[in-house]
Amino acid sequence: MQRAYLHGLGIAAPGLEDWGAARAVLSGETDYTSEPLTPFRTKLLPRNEARRAGAAVHLAFRVAEQACAERDASTFAAVFSSSAGDIDIADQLCMAVNAPERAISPTRFHNSVHNAPAGYWSIATGAREPATSLSAGPGGFMVALCEAWGLLAECGTPVLLVCYDMDGSGMLAEARRDIGATFAMAWLLDTHADGAIAVLDRPQPTSAGPTPVSIPALEHLRRLNASARSLPLLAALAARQAAAPVIASEQGHWRVPLTPL
């Protein structure tokens, strides 16, 4: 498959509440200010499931819902990617198993499983198409994009790509200083051009260095957060200019041609 079409997108990061805010910043219309994300709770899940869902689930839903706005997500395949998942819950479980009573919360435990956001998404939307949950360290975005590309070529059904990495506290957060801030993004990809926002040509491996972001604070975020490595592509979309940025990956860098429509 040589081309894929982008039909929806979402973003969430400090100072970038949604695509409207991000587009204005990335295109240079407004200055970037790193403001904390406002609280978010999905309304797609039944009340009990929404209450039990962890912060990583709600972060993934935050961008997935933007990308799938007013669409029937029950027919979409999905790829969810995160380098660390819900790092706070993982830290709490590590502390609990080292306490004398070793009491583990079942709710925290099931939120620690790496495919929890994908599972909750299937519950919320009724989706029965394939869903992949992966972790590829700092190269997660590019690996997830390649996985989504293959899934789109194989199934022919729209594919929701969700990448999220959240900052945290505790000992694990100290060990994962490469996640310096929360960042999440989502793309809805399809094989059909009608109504598309942009077209992507097939990614190609390259020996060139990664494409930076012109805004220093966001370039710092791109270097820190695995999911934020998508920022050069998002910047091209915001500028509405054809571009072929190089996306960093520990499995080898990739050039991704993109043309806004």
Side-chain angles (χ1 to χ4, degrees):
M1 191 180 74
Q2 295 302 315
R3 285 190 156 188
Y5 293 90
L6 178 63
H7 283 260
L9 69 163
I11 187 172
L16 307 174
E17 285 278 334
D18 53 28
W19 177 239
R23 180 171 51 195
V25 170
L26 290 168
S27 65
E29 294 176 14
T30 61
D31 293 333
Y32 175 67
T33 304
S34 180
E35 298 287 346
L37 281 167
T38 57
F40 173 85
R41 289 286 174 179
T42 180
K43 295 180 180 179
L44 290 184
L45 284 167
R47 182 181 300 176
N48 286 340
E49 279 76 9
R51 177 177 53 82
R52 288 193 290 263
V57 172
H58 287 283
L59 177 62
F61 268 62
R62 184 177 195 137
V63 293
E65 289 179 31
Q66 293 178 42
C68 297
E70 299 180 5
R71 295 179 176 91
D72 180 9
S74 66
T75 62
F76 302 161
V79 175
F80 287 78
S81 174
S82 177
S83 70
D86 198 318
I87 197 167
D88 279 344
I89 285 181
D91 186 80
Q92 292 162 9
L93 292 180
C94 288
M95 296 293 288
V97 297
N98 283 284
E101 59 275 15
R102 295 188 176 183
I104 299 294
S105 161
T107 299
R108 286 180 179 172
F109 178 78
H110 89 252
N111 276 296
S112 74
V113 179
H114 198 69
N115 66 352
Y120 275 112
W121 183 254
S122 296
I123 292 171
T125 63
R128 296 189 178 186
E129 297 297 327
T132 301
S133 298
L134 59 85
S135 178
F141 168 72
M142 197 59 234
V143 173
L145 178 57
C146 289
E147 176 71 17
W149 198 281
L151 194 57
L152 186 62
E154 175 68 21
C155 298
T157 187
V159 176
L160 174 66
L161 168 64
V162 181
C163 297
Y164 61 97
D165 279 288
M166 54 188 290
D167 61 353
S169 58
M171 295 179 66
L172 285 182
E174 289 294 318
R176 289 300 307 270
R177 293 184 178 274
D178 55 318
I179 307 176
T182 293
F183 186 95
M185 58 80 63
W187 277 0
L188 180 60
L189 300 170
D190 202 348
T191 57
H192 303 294
D194 291 347
I197 299 168
V199 57
L200 290 86
D201 290 326
R202 185 173 180 174
Q204 298 293 331
T206 179
S207 59
T211 301
V213 181
S214 61
I215 301 168
L218 295 182
E219 169 61 10
H220 180 65
L221 180 57
R222 182 193 71 82
R223 292 174 175 269
L224 272 181
N225 188 299
S227 299
R229 290 188 175 184
S230 60
L231 275 169
L233 286 162
L234 296 171
L237 283 168
R240 297 196 60 79
Q241 294 179 350
V246 176
I247 307 301
S249 170
E250 280 57 40
Q251 290 76 22
H253 300 339
W254 293 76
R255 189 177 299 279
V256 186
L258 178 147
T259 304
L261 298 175

